[in-house]
Amino acid sequence: MLDNPQTPALDESSLRYEGWRIVAVCFLLATFGWGLGFYGQSVYVAELQRARGWPTTLISSGTTFFYLFGALLVVFVGEAVRRYGPRLCLVAGTLAMAAASVAIGAVREPWQLYLADAVLAFGWAGTSLAMITNTISLWFDHKRGMAISLALNGASFGGIVGVPLLVTLIGHIGFAGAMYAAAGAMLVLLLPVILLVVGRPPDLHGRHAAAKAKPQSSTQIRAWALRDVGFLTVTIAFALVLFAQVGFIVHLISFLDPVIGRERAAVAVAVLTAMAVVGRVLFSLVIDRLNQRLASALSFLSQAAALLVVINLHDDYALIAACALFGFSVGNLITLPSLIVQREFDSASFGVLISLNTAINQVTYAFGPGVVGALRDWSGGYALPFYLCIALEVVAAALIMVRGAGRTKTA
C-alpha cells in the first residue's frame, strides 16, 4: 500500500529531526523525576527521621504508599497523553513534582507526609517511565529503542548527580531550603524548555487504517491485555525481575558493608550505577535490531549469575566485578518492555499497554525491599533472599521467551 503522498517521509536517524529535541527534554525530565521521585526517597527518609525523630517504619510506609498510589495513576498516563497532548501533560507533571518537593520540605506532622507523598505520586506519574515512553513514541517508530534508551539516561544522571547535589544543599541551607531550591530549579529549567520545544507530534501511524476504523476504548484494551499471553509474559517477567533488582540494590550497601567495608561498598554501588549508563548507551545502538525477548532473557540470566557470585565469593574485586555485571543490564530493564510492546502489538494501543505494564511493575517492585529485608531478618543473613532473587530471575528468563499470538504490529 502506498504511503499518503501528503505525508512527508520522516528521517528519524537525522540529527536535524525534531524528535531528538524531544529526547533531550525527556532526559531533563527524567533527571528531575528520578532525582526527586525515586532516588530522593532515601534522602527524605534519613532527613525526616533525623529532624522529626519519627520511626523509620512510619516514614517508609509513606514511601510504599507513594509507589502504590503512583502505580494507580500511571495506568492512565497513556490516555492523558492521547487526550490532552504531550506538552500539557509534561507541564502538569513538572508542576506536580515541584509542588511535591515544596510539600515534602514543609512537612511537620505525619499526616502531612502522606499528603506530600500523594502529590509526589502525581509528579512521578507525570515525569517517569510511562510519560517518557508515551511522549517519545509520538515522535519515533524505527528509532524508538535508541530514543528511549538515551532519554532514560537522565534517570541515572538524577541518581549520580542529583542526589549528591541535594545532600550538599541540605548541608548548607537545610532540608526545607534544599527542597524549595530543587523545586525552583525544576520550574526554571524545565517549563521554558517544554513550552518552547514540545509541539504537535507528527502523524507516525496515520497509515494504520485498521486501527482507526475500529477504535477501542482504553478499558477494552486493558481488559484484552490482561487475557493475552504475550502481554502477560512480558509484564509478569519484568515484574519479577524488577522486584528482585530493586530489592537487591536497596540492600546492597547493608550486605557489602560488613564484607568489604563501607568505602569499597560505595565503590561497588558507584560501579553498578555507572555500568547501568554504559549498558543503556551500548544497547541503544543495536536494541532496535535485536530479538528483544532473547536480549531480555540473557539480561535476566546475567543478573542471576552476578547474584550467585555476590552470595558465594567475598573477594573485593570479585564482588565489584559482579556489581558491574549486574549493573550492565539495570538500565535496559526499564527500556525493553516498551520496545517489546511496540514491536508485538498495535501502535494504537501502545500508550495504554505500556502504562498498564509500568503500573503493574511498580506495584510489584514496591514490595521488593520489604520482602528482602524481612527474609534477611528471619534467616539471619542475605543468602536466602538473594537466592530468591536468583530464582525469580531464572523463572522470568523462561517466561519472557513465551510469546502468545497477540495482535502483532502491522507495517
Side-chain angles (χ1 to χ4, degrees), residues 143-159:
K143 294 290 183 181
R144 187 177 296 176
M146 175 182 287
I148 292 175
S149 295
L150 293 176
L152 289 177
N153 278 318
S156 300
F157 192 73

Side-chain angles (χ1 to χ4, degrees), residues 271-313:
V271 168
L272 186 152
T273 307
M275 285 301 292
V277 176
V278 172
R280 188 183 283 126
V281 171
L282 292 179
F283 256 67
S284 71
L285 301 176
V286 297
I287 202 166
D288 290 306
R289 301 192 296 272
L290 295 177
N291 179 330
Q292 291 158 358
R293 283 184 180 263
L294 179 59
S296 300
L298 293 176
S299 296
F300 302 165
L301 293 175
S302 72
Q303 288 196 346
L307 283 168
L308 198 61
V309 172
V310 166
I311 295 170
N312 293 286
L313 297 181

Side-chain angles (χ1 to χ4, degrees), residues 3-10 203-204:
D3 290 334
N4 185 338
Q6 295 180 340
T7 302
L10 299 174
D203 184 13
L204 292 179

Side-chain angles (χ1 to χ4, degrees), residues 52-254:
R52 304 298 168 204
W54 297 339
T56 303
T57 303
L58 171 66
I59 304 171
S60 298
S61 63
T63 301
T64 301
F65 166 72
F66 153 71
Y67 279 125
L68 296 179
F69 184 48
L72 177 64
L73 298 174
V74 163
V75 173
F76 304 101
V77 166
E79 293 170 72
V81 172
R82 185 169 60 184
R83 177 174 297 182
Y84 301 109
R87 177 192 284 179
L88 185 58
C89 290
L90 292 173
V91 167
T94 300
L95 292 175
M97 183 62 78
S101 300
V102 171
I104 290 172
V107 163
R108 297 292 181 272
E109 300 292 337
W111 67 268
Q112 295 173 342
L113 173 62
Y114 284 89
L115 180 60
D117 279 325
V119 179
L120 188 65
F122 278 96
W124 175 247
T127 60
S128 58
L129 181 62
M131 180 61 70
I132 289 171
T133 53
N134 271 279
T135 298
I136 287 179
S137 71
L138 298 176
W139 272 269
F140 287 92
D141 189 6
H142 302 297
K143 294 290 183 181
R144 187 177 296 176
M146 175 182 287
I148 292 175
S149 295
L150 293 176
L152 289 177
N153 278 318
S156 300
F157 192 73
I160 295 170
V161 177
V163 171
L165 283 176
L166 186 61
V167 171
T168 301
L169 275 175
I170 291 171
H172 284 85
I173 59 177
F175 180 56
M179 296 306 296
Y180 301 158
M186 187 175 190
L187 294 175
V188 169
L189 292 175
L190 256 179
L191 281 183
V193 173
I194 292 172
L195 294 173
L196 288 172
V197 175
V198 182
R200 185 181 181 88
D203 184 13
L204 292 179
H205 308 294
R207 62 188 179 276
H208 292 290
K212 288 186 173 182
K214 296 181 179 180
Q216 285 188 301
S217 69
S218 299
T219 301
Q220 290 174 317
I221 293 172
R222 282 192 287 266
W224 166 84
L226 294 175
R227 298 192 302 269
D228 180 77
V229 173
F231 180 80
L232 288 176
T233 56
V234 172
T235 300
I236 295 172
F238 279 95
L240 294 177
V241 168
L242 290 171
F243 176 96
Q245 178 173 286
V246 173
F248 169 69
I249 291 174
V250 167
H251 287 270
L252 184 56
I253 288 287
S254 297

